Amino acid sequence: MNAENDKQKMVAATVTADSAAGDDRAAERKLGTRAPGFIQKSSLLRLGWQVGIFVVGLAVIGAGIAMLVLPGPGWLVVFGGMAIWATEFAWAQIVLRWTRRKVTEAAQRALDPRVRRRNIILTTAVLLIITALAGIYLWKFGIVIP
């Protein structure tokens, strides 16, 4: 009888632990707003919140796009702007999850030894071709300093 009660307690503890982990995963999968409760209750506050989040996210994404051609961590800032949008908009959460999944897949593929070897060989070949073309250009035309 004692062994049976202990077994039931272990099963109950396992189920509780699994459901707690499931709640964490469910909270992670949940789409929608993360606005405070008092903002969600008022439609006017909610609209203002959404407009504010959109404007801030748009400004951050705009800065990230500018950093793509200027010095700075452009893509990181763009993804940061998407993360800001994802706090309020379900479509941004979906895009951010898709992007995160694709980046993880690309990182796994890049760590594959065969892919790394191929990339090193291709990079070396391209650098050799560019060096040869630059050498031919310099041999034919030389360096003209104004």
Side-chain angles (χ1 to χ4, degrees):
M1 185 105 178
N2 246 352
E4 190 173 316
N5 285 341
D6 290 341
K7 188 175 182 180
Q8 287 176 348
K9 287 179 185 176
M10 287 178 59
V11 169
T14 305
V15 169
T16 304
D18 289 345
S19 65
D23 290 344
D24 291 341
R25 284 184 231 124
E28 183 179 309
R29 291 184 198 147
K30 183 180 173 191
L31 296 176
T33 184
R34 292 189 179 97
F38 73 94
I39 290 178
Q40 292 180 13
K41 290 178 184 174
S42 170
S43 61
L44 187 60
L45 281 177
R46 174 123 192 232
L47 180 63
W49 179 267
Q50 286 180 334
V51 168
I53 292 291
F54 184 80
V55 168
V56 169
L58 186 64
V60 171
I61 288 177
I65 290 172
M67 286 183 205
L68 291 175
V69 293
L70 299 172
W75 284 113
L76 186 64
V77 175
V78 168
F79 292 135
M82 284 299 296
I84 290 171
W85 277 349
T87 62
E88 185 60 31
F89 303 108
W91 59 267
Q93 292 171 2
I94 292 168
V95 169
L96 201 58
R97 286 180 189 168
W98 178 85
T99 304
R100 192 175 295 149
R101 188 174 57 247
K102 292 298 180 184
V103 166
T104 303
E105 290 172 5
Q108 291 300 321
R109 280 194 313 267
L111 293 176
D112 181 24
R114 290 179 290 166
V115 174
R116 288 186 65 205
R117 191 175 311 116
R118 183 200 65 200
N119 289 345
I120 290 171
I121 291 170
L122 286 174
T123 303
T124 304
V126 168
L127 287 175
L128 286 173
I129 291 170
I130 289 173
T131 303
L133 291 175
I136 291 170
Y137 178 84
L138 290 175
W139 175 66
K140 188 156 183 120
F141 298 108
I143 297 177
V144 178
I145 299 174

